[in-house]
């Protein structure tokens, strides 16, 4: 106790740094910053204002780091002298309301999921679904599609996945934080979607894994890029982060969905931290890197307790090498 | 000596009085300016807000032209936007809200001023004022978790059985077979789902009842007892007193109260975003899901950029326009009532 307070006095020149952006990363970031400021005295103020607003603020240079669920393009990064790296991994899962179907029982492929979201598969008795689920008794409901009504990183990653597995989706609907949904109703936020799914028999939605788990809504398993059936959990999310094609991308500009690898969950997402490569405020940047080093290396248990997955060690090494090469942070 | 003094004092008094008068005039003028500035500030804020939304939304108006008002598309990935669905949703939900809120508020206000025993008036009035103080997100959550499922289970099936062309019980009602168009207002793509324009309108009704009823109650109290008692003395029933004395006496203020509630219904954001379903498909039906201007902005503003952001600003400006048109209609109605009175 005495040691802690002495240490606190020793770090009298505590620095407060500010970040803003994605709400996806907010719970884990605030947990990390709490334990980080306990040991160092430095405070991280994070405003969960949405990825778009986070990017806008870092471009204006009013904050020390931004956080976005969608990566910034290489051009934009170069134009503003910014760099970006992933921070934490989470999974997005399709959730269904089908009487008698337990969590993880229903099997769906990406193509079938895209057809459902296009409104082309309109009933659960459709042969395409039956063929994937021999022996599973699925009630013959009409399918009600539920999507997010607000612009969100969850929608960005989900629609990005559908674009990768369905050429028709890629040409007609495309992907983004908000799109023109061909079918269904929109719930506000993860809680809105999970609540709609619980209320409508025969509905299908998509939420962050933590929400499905907390609200015990039954989720589906998916076939990944290498043809294997996978359940959503920490191992499969971590596998996707490890096997995603980081090597060939500059500034970690890879959207992780449909990652290769036998164990990879196909709709895995990350949040990118965006910072200036040439520091505008050296002392703040130093604290920021110190904080992210702490979270990447020691933040696993905090992440796991909130159903996020810390980045695999191989990726952390790559990020730290990137800091050294691009930001001059050794 | 004496004379000079007696001459002197009044002149000193006179200068003092003149000075005081000058000071009063000056103070009055300053007071007038301050008041004028207060009034102008409101006008300035209004013009500024409308102007800045128009300016920021100019890009959208310029890109889509008049089609912005008539297009039902809202497609962020291809950057195509139209305001028709949000405008219809805003007007539709507010209309339903008024349809239910006005008669109920009228009843509450009359009960409290004319019929309720003295001991009941205080508690009921405070309860209504408390309702007005509940934050709208609470109404949204209540609507999403409790009211929407209730509508889906009890209200919607009844409405669809009686008024829609595709009823859950399979028997198309006499009304639908004989009245054209009516089924169009009661169709539903998701019959077992509670959220939609109708549900949002009902939630809004609960939210605006406190506003309308408290204004009505206040103005009903201003009716002189003399007038009412004369009418009672002539043998009028309570209803006749209300309809022929109280309502005409307070009409302007009552309509003002209704429009205060309507203003809130048009601009309500959070509660509507949770129970409207947030779809951008055009439909005439009250039972379908939809979008309102305020809910669309709340949903998409955080992540919007470029033309999408500009389109959101443009519909914010249209909300000003819709509200202005509604107020204008109210004024015209009042004027017509007055001219009729003269005849």
């Amino acid at each position: 106790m005495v040691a802690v307070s002495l240490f606190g006095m020793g770090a009298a020149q505590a620095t407060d740094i500010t970040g803003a952006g994605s709400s996806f990363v907010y719970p884990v970031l605030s947990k990390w910053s709490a334990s980080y400021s306990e040991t160092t005295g430095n405070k991280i103020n994070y405003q969960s204002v949405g990825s778009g607003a986070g990017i806008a603020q870092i471009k204006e240079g009013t904050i020390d780091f931004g956080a976005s669920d969608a990566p910034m393009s290489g051009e934009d990064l170069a134009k503003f002298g910014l760099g970006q790296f992933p921070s934490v991994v989470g999974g997005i899962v399709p959730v269904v309301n089908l009487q008698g179907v337990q969590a993880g029982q229903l099997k769906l492929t990406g193509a079938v999921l895209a057809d459902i979201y296009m409104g082309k598969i309109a009933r659960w008795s459709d042969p395409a679904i039956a063929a994937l689920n021999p022996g599973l008794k699925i009630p013959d409901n009409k399918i009600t599609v539920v999507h997010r009504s607000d612009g969100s990183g969850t929608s960005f990653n989900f629609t990005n996945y559908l674009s990768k597995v369905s050429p028709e989706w890629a040409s007609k609907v495309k992907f983004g934080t908000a799109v023109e949904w061909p079918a269904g109703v929109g719930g506000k936020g993860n809680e809105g979607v999970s609540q709609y799914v619980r209320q409508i028999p025969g509905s299908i939605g998509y939420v962050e894994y933590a929400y499905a788990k907390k609200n015990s809504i039954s989720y589906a398993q998916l076939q990944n890029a290498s043809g294997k059936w996978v359940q959503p959990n920490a191992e499969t999310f971590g596998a996707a982060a490890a096997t995603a094609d980081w090597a060939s991308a500059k500034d970690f500009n890879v959207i992780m969905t449909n990652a290769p690898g036998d164990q990879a969950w196909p709709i895995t997402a990350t949040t990118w931290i965006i910072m200036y490569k040439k520091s505008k405020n050296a002392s703040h940047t130093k604290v920021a890197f110190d904080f992210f080093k702490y979270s990447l290396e020691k933040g696993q248990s905090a992440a796991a307790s909130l159903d996020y997955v810390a980045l695999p060690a191989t990726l952390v090494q790559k990020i730290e090498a990137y800091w050294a090469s691009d930001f001059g942070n050794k | 000596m004496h004379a000079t003094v007696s001459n002197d004092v009044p002149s000193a008094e006179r200068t003092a009085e003149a000075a005081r008068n000058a000071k009063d005039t000056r103070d009055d003028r300053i007071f007038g300016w301050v008041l004028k500035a207060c009034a102008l500030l409101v006008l300035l804020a209004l013009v500024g807000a409308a102007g800045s939304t128009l300016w920021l939304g100019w890009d959208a108006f310029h890109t889509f032209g008049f089609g912005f008002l008539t297009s039902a598309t809202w497609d962020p990935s291809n950057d195509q936007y139209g305001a028709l669905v949000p405008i219809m949703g805003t007007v539709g939900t507010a209309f339903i809200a008024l349809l239910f809120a006005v008669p109920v508020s009228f009843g509450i206000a009359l009960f409290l001023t004319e019929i309720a025993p003295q001991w009941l008036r205080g508690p009921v009035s405070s309860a209504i004022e408390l309702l007005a103080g509940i934050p709208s997100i609470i109404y949204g959550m209540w609507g999403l978790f409790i009211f929407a499922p209730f509508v889906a289970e009890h209200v919607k099936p009844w409405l669809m059985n009686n008024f829609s062309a595709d009823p859950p019980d399979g028997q198309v009602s006499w009304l639908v077979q004989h009245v054209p168009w009516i089924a169009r207002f009661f169709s539903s793509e998701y019959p077992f789902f509670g959220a939609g324009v109708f549900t949002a309108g009902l939630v809004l009704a609960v939210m605006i009842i406190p506003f309308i009823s408290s204004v009505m109650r206040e103005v009903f109290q201003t009716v002189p007892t003399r007038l009412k008692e004369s009418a009672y003395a002539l043998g009028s029933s309570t209803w006749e007193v209300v309809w022929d004395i109280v309502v005409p006496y307070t009409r302007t203020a009552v309509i003002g109260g209704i429009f205060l509630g309507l203003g809130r219904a048009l601009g309500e954001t959070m509660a509507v975003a949770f129970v409207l379903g947030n779809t951008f498909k055009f439909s005439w039906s009250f039972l379908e899901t939809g979008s309102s201007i305020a809910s669309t902005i709340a949903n998409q503003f955080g992540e919007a950029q470029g033309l999408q952001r500009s389109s959101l600003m443009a519909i914010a400006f249209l909300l000003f326009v819709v509200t202005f048109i509604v107020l204008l209609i109210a004024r015209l109605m009042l004027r017509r009532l007055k001219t009729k009175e003269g005849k």
Side-chain angles (χ1 to χ4, degrees), chain A residues 51 142 173-174 186 195-196 199, chain B residues 77-78 144 189 274 277 303:
Chain A
S51 302
K142 188 180 153 201
V173 188
K174 299 176 186 165
Q195 194 56 30
Y196 278 9
Q199 284 175 21
Chain B
S77 39
N78 294 316
L144 176 66
E189 203 184 336
F274 278 101
E303 298 289 335

Side-chain angles (χ1 to χ4, degrees), chain A residues 49-53 142 144 147 149-152 172-174 177-180 182 184-186 188 192 195-196 199-201, chain B residues 73-78 144-145 148-149 189-190 192-193 195 270 273-279 289 299-300 302-303 305 308:
Chain A
V49 288
S51 302
K142 188 180 153 201
T144 304
H147 53 76
S149 65
D150 46 339
S152 77
K172 278 190 189 155
V173 188
K174 299 176 186 165
T177 53
V179 297
E180 185 177 38
V185 294
K188 183 158 169 37
Q195 194 56 30
Y196 278 9
Q199 284 175 21
I200 312 172
Chain B
T73 325
W74 191 275
D75 184 354
S77 39
N78 294 316
L144 176 66
F145 287 99
E189 203 184 336
Y190 309 103
F192 34 72
F193 183 45
M270 263 312 164
F274 278 101
V275 292
L276 195 48
N278 303 303
T279 51
T289 52
N299 273 324
Q300 305 203 344
E303 298 289 335
Q305 278 162 341
Q308 187 184 3

Side-chain angles (χ1 to χ4, degrees), chain B residues 90-108:
Chain B
T90 304
V91 175
T93 49
F95 173 73
I96 292 171
L98 281 191
L99 202 66
F100 287 91
V102 170
V104 173
S105 306
F106 189 68
I108 292 173

Side-chain angles (χ1 to χ4, degrees), chain A residues 14-49:
Chain A
T15 313
D16 287 8
I17 65 166
T18 325
S22 155
S23 52
F24 175 79
V25 79
Y26 174 65
V28 66
L29 210 58
S30 49
K31 201 158 186 178
W32 282 340
S33 73
S35 61
Y36 176 74
S37 36
E38 253 174 43
T39 54
T40 61
N42 297 325
K43 283 211 179 68
I44 318 294
N45 299 315
Y46 184 73
Q47 302 154 7
S48 159
V49 288

